[in-house]
Amino acid sequence: QVQLVESGGGLVQAGGSLRLSCAASGYTFSRYTMGWFRQAPGKEREFVATISWIGRTTNYADSVKGRFTISRDNIKNTVYLQMNSLKPEDTANYYCAAGRTVVPGVESTYDYWGQGTQVTVSS
């Protein structure tokens, strides 16, 4: 049974940092590209970042480039999202996703999804 479990969300002040984690199980983690998406209230889910299966290639949405860093640990079967210089507009539910062959921003190309973790940034 495939599971993606996000953690690390919470309430933080603008300018602060959080690190999200996504623990994967039930499939061969090291062979999947991993991604992070987010969905703010009343908005569509949007792409945040991806990392290739061995971590060599990363992609970021323009809105988070230079502030967020995606990484992975293929021993721990975990992907991370380090979020620095957080802004109120980063407030959203953050989801991790896994896919064998993905187009970074295209949700339909991901095979598995987590349930999300809430991030709230106060001004």
Side-chain angles (χ1 to χ4, degrees):
Q1 180 183 358
V2 173
Q3 280 195 309
L4 296 176
V5 180
E6 301 95 336
S7 62
L11 174 64
V12 64
Q13 287 189 329
S17 299
L18 282 175
R19 188 176 83 152
L20 306 184
S21 300
C22 173
S25 61
Y27 70 101
T28 307
F29 177 80
S30 60
R31 295 187 178 182
Y32 280 68
T33 293
M34 297 299 297
W36 286 97
F37 288 75
R38 67 186 182 185
Q39 186 169 21
K43 295 188 176 181
E44 293 188 352
R45 190 157 56 186
E46 64 176 5
F47 165 73
V48 176
T50 56
I51 186 166
S52 61
W53 58 284
I54 56 171
R56 188 170 292 169
T57 303
T58 57
N59 293 278
Y60 295 93
D62 288 343
S63 59
V64 307
K65 212 170 282 185
R67 301 187 298 122
F68 290 11
T69 303
I70 189 171
S71 61
R72 66 189 295 160
D73 185 332
N74 285 350
I75 302 298
K76 295 182 178 179
N77 287 357
T78 301
V79 62
Y80 304 97
L81 186 68
Q82 177 66 44
M83 304 186 296
N84 298 330
S85 302
L86 283 161
K87 305 175 181 180
E89 51 263 45
D90 294 318
T91 294
N93 203 13
Y94 282 72
Y95 300 87
C96 70
R100 285 296 303 272
T101 306
V102 307
V103 175
V106 181
E107 293 184 32
S108 61
T109 61
Y110 293 80
D111 302 305
Y112 309 123
W113 290 83
Q115 294 300 306
T117 186
Q118 179 67 36
V119 172
T120 303
V121 184
S122 63
S123 56

